[in-house]
Amino acid sequence: MSNEWNTRTKLVHSGSKRSQWNEVSEAIFLTQGFVYDTAEQAEARFIKAEPDEYIYARYGNPTVAMFEERMAAIEGCEDGFATASGMAAVNGALMAFLSAGDHVVGSRALFGSCLYILDEVLPRMGVEVTLVDGRDLDAWKAAIRADTKLVFFETISNPTLEVIDVTSVSAMAHEVGAIVVADNVFATPVYSQVIEQGVDIVVYSATKHIDGQGRALGGIILGSHELIRGKVEPYMKHTGGAMSPFTAWIMLKGLETMDLRVRAQSTTAAALAEALDGHPKLARLIYPGHASHPQNDLVMRQMGNGGTMLSMDVKGGKEAAFRALNALKIALISNNLGDAKTIATPPAATTHQRLPDDQKQLLGITPGLIRLSLGIEDSQDVITDILQALEHA
Ligand SMILES: *Cc1c(COP(=O)(O)O)cnc(C)c1O
């Protein structure tokens, strides 16, 4: 039945498990352990736990399972494993599948912590990593080899909003039998069709649009039952990256309103892109949903929407960008994204500060770049705020 529902209905109802009290709002099962009726039952459960049979909260918990089932339902896949943070999910999705001697191909434009795992941790473990310009299909083709084990990308990159052609890259990976892992945070579960487009494992930081109200860290790894229960669960449950039941409850509440929030946020992002198009204080405007973005056709085909994030490069570099940031009255200077509150971030000075200058230049992370995550405030108020701030640049 629940597979026939549309996303908005699934976001509110999928995965619900009611206790004997038949509560309306999802219960928080704030327990680390579960009692067995008999020693035989304990033994049987350790041999094989069936769905809705729990052992220990590091392995699974009813509130966490509700979140996992709801996420799998909206993503259109069989299963999921919830994690303590988005990075626990990225790390788990890679470590569960890779061994020393394996080869990985990844896109170069990545969130700083994702880049750290691909660039520093994996090579240290004896995994060979080739990074490519993710927009260039020829570069993917040249880098993917007969022995490539796994392909990793952010479907829309942070902070320069480059778009990966998910269908084409997945097809190339599958030709050599490689697993495709996509970090889909910027695309959001609302606009995601990546499972259909060929991705095997989808990763989200739930900290972003899923919570969407800046309360808790969380993440999830989604895919087929075989990959999640066969590979991901054993790695995650023994290495301790589990999501807490309280966090799962926050995320369930977040999911109820996610579609409404994300659509309002993207409407503001699109209207802001129109208002900023050709603005004299900007050297560059980057919004995938705007006709000026070189991959506008691709993003509309892939997601049907340009998303909630917009980046702009202020003329005059760091000083001008900082003057604009300091003049904001509604938008907050912070580094989360997908939040109900509009957030402005200077990536070169903050989230991507660690990158050497030549890497920043290669990725287009210029000193004047401001990344905006549009919130759910009144669109016109937010646009007015950003336009007045740019006057100070
Ligand atoms: C935030 C983010 C992460 C990490 O998520 P946390 O919940 O902060 O650990 C990973 N990938 C992308 C693209 C992100 O934006």
Side-chain angles (χ1 to χ4, degrees), residues 57-110:
R58 174 151 47 75
Y59 295 16
N61 168 287
T63 314
V64 176
M66 286 192 248
F67 173 63
E68 292 169 342
E69 286 178 31
R70 191 168 296 177
M71 282 300 303
I74 62 168
E75 198 65 37
C77 60
E78 292 170 354
D79 220 328
F81 195 98
T83 59
S85 69
M87 284 322 301
V90 172
N91 187 61
L94 294 168
M95 291 302 177
F97 295 105
L98 294 172
S99 305
D102 284 341
H103 178 239
V104 171
V105 183
S107 54
R108 187 177 291 115
L110 294 175

Side-chain angles (χ1 to χ4, degrees), residues 85-87 111 114 154 183 185-186 205 207-208 217-218 337:
S85 69
M87 284 322 301
F111 181 65
C114 295
E154 287 172 17
D183 177 333
V185 168
F186 278 48
S205 162
T207 317
K208 312 297 167 55
L217 279 176
L337 61 96

Side-chain angles (χ1 to χ4, degrees), residues 139-368:
W140 284 106
K141 199 167 181 57
I144 294 172
R145 316 190 303 225
D147 67 337
T148 300
K149 180 75 182 289
L150 187 147
V151 162
F152 180 83
F153 52 77
E154 287 172 17
T155 42
I156 299 186
S157 74
N158 176 13
T160 47
L161 312 179
E162 299 176 4
V163 184
I164 303 291
D165 182 339
V166 175
T167 308
S168 303
V169 174
S170 300
M172 283 183 222
H174 288 158
E175 242 172 73
V176 300
I179 295 167
V180 180
V181 179
D183 177 333
N184 213 24
V185 168
F186 278 48
T188 83
V190 171
Y191 302 124
S192 168
Q193 300 161 42
V194 293
I195 290 283
E196 220 171 287
Q197 289 156 353
V199 168
D200 301 299
I201 293 283
V202 193
V203 172
Y204 286 105
S205 162
T207 317
K208 312 297 167 55
H209 304 83
I210 294 171
D211 174 359
Q213 288 154 88
R215 297 165 292 197
L217 279 176
I220 191 160
I221 308 171
L222 295 152
S224 69
H225 188 73
E226 189 188 344
L227 294 181
I228 297 297
R229 294 303 147 195
K231 293 282 187 185
V232 172
E233 182 196 290
Y235 178 81
M236 290 307 304
K237 77 180 186 186
H238 295 302
T239 55
M243 175 180 275
S244 95
F246 186 70
T247 296
W249 178 79
I250 290 174
M251 298 306 174
L252 284 162
K253 292 292 118 188
L255 284 178
E256 290 186 346
T257 58
M258 180 177 66
D259 188 276
L260 302 174
R261 284 184 282 105
V262 166
R263 287 186 195 280
Q265 288 168 272
S266 352
T267 301
T268 299
L272 178 64
E274 280 303 324
L276 292 176
D277 189 26
H279 195 288
K281 300 270 175 138
L282 294 185
R284 203 161 38 124
L285 167 71
I286 314 174
Y287 181 61
H290 192 260
S292 61
H293 193 285
Q295 296 172 295
N296 181 236
D297 283 351
L298 173 63
V299 86
M300 296 315 275
R301 209 171 346 113
Q302 205 156 277
M303 288 166 39
N305 196 288
T308 65
M309 305 292 297
L310 178 152
S311 292
M312 56 185 186
D313 196 356
V314 179
K315 282 181 189 165
K318 179 179 169 179
E319 285 72 26
F322 276 27
R323 279 195 299 272
L325 285 165
N326 292 337
L328 289 166
K329 296 190 169 94
I330 296 172
L332 308 173
I333 304 170
S334 187
N335 39 257
N336 191 19
L337 61 96
D339 200 272
K341 299 178 171 73
T342 295
I343 290 173
T345 314
T350 60
T351 53
H352 291 69
Q353 191 189 102
R354 208 178 59 86
L355 285 184
D357 284 342
D358 60 326
Q359 281 272 346
K360 282 188 196 140
Q361 198 158 8
L362 186 66
L363 296 172
I365 303 171
T366 47

Side-chain angles (χ1 to χ4, degrees), residues 25-38:
S25 176
E26 294 77 359
I28 312 176
F29 292 95
L30 217 44
T31 177
Q32 49 60 38
F34 302 85
V35 178
Y36 313 104
D37 295 334
T38 60

